[in-house]
Amino acid sequence: DVLASFARVVLTAPCGFARAKIDDSGKDFKIDGATHILVVANADKSFVANNLDMDKDSSRLHLITGPNMGGKSTYIRSVALIVLMNQIGCFVPCRSATLPIF
C-alpha cells in the first residue's frame, strides 16, 4: 500500500519528481530545482525552484536571511520534506538530488 501510494503521488503531482542519488560517504548534499509540493499544489502563482549545495568539509552551516514573507520558511521546509521523503524511499520533488543517509 505504501509503495502504491508513493507511485500515485509521483504520477499525479503538479511538479516533477526525481530519484535521489545516495552519497555513501555522507559528504555531499546537493539538490537542484527543489519545490515544496504543498505550496505548488495550492498556489495560484508560479513557484521558483531552489537549489542547495552543501559539502561536509566546506559548508556545514548556511545562514538564511531575507525580508519578512521572503520564502525562508518555505525553503527550509522544502529541503526538510525532500530529505524525509528520500529517507523513506520515495522519489523527491526536484530535478535532481544527491543526498546522504542520515
Side-chain angles (χ1 to χ4, degrees):
D1 289 345
V2 172
L3 296 177
S5 297
F6 287 165
R8 183 173 183 208
V9 167
V10 170
L11 293 174
T12 60
C15 63
F17 278 66
R19 182 177 183 182
K21 296 175 186 169
I22 303 298
D23 178 30
D24 293 329
S25 67
K27 289 187 174 186
D28 288 331
F29 190 108
K30 296 179 183 177
I31 301 173
D32 182 38
T35 58
H36 193 298
I37 186 66
L38 298 176
V39 174
V40 172
N42 296 315
D44 295 332
K45 298 178 182 178
S46 64
F47 184 85
V48 176
N50 297 296
N51 298 332
L52 175 66
D53 188 4
M54 295 179 79
D55 182 32
K56 188 175 183 180
D57 297 328
S58 64
S59 63
R60 298 181 76 176
L61 174 71
H62 284 214
L63 185 63
I64 301 171
T65 64
N68 292 341
M69 301 296 292
K72 300 178 296 291
S73 296
T74 303
Y75 177 72
I76 294 168
R77 288 178 182 154
S78 67
V79 171
L81 185 63
I82 288 171
V83 169
L84 180 64
M85 291 175 77
N86 182 59
Q87 292 296 316
I88 61 174
C90 187
F91 281 53
V92 293
C94 62
R95 283 191 295 270
S96 67
T98 303
L99 302 170
I101 294 179
F102 296 98

